[in-house]
Amino acid sequence: NWIEDCNAASATPIERIVALQKRLIAEAVRPKGKLLFVSIQLKEIPSAPKLRLEIRAKVGTTIYRSAILAADRDVGNIVFYGA
């Protein structure tokens, strides 16, 4: 499962990544509870307008880790907890 956004003017890169992760999980998994931000690890702050997130790991039904790609380059990952 993946999601993509090309609207760089909409917010800061971190805000875009967090919002994309929430939307990706909501659409792909449809958790019943709240989604809580856990961590983000970046090799660099993405400057490319095109961001893509891909779910890479799901632990049970509560932990979701996604790869962050900017211009098709892996720049980090983000983790959310579904309460």
Side-chain angles (χ1 to χ4, degrees), residues 31-69:
K32 296 187 187 332
K34 293 182 181 183
L35 289 173
L36 305 172
F37 172 79
V38 174
S39 69
I40 189 168
Q41 298 171 333
L42 293 172
K43 299 172 189 172
E44 63 187 71
I45 301 292
S47 59
K50 179 179 168 188
L51 287 178
R52 178 180 173 120
L53 271 62
E54 297 177 359
I55 294 178
R56 296 279 172 91
K58 190 165 69 168
V59 179
T61 58
T62 59
I63 304 286
Y64 307 94
R65 183 176 60 81
S66 295
I68 304 164
L69 298 115

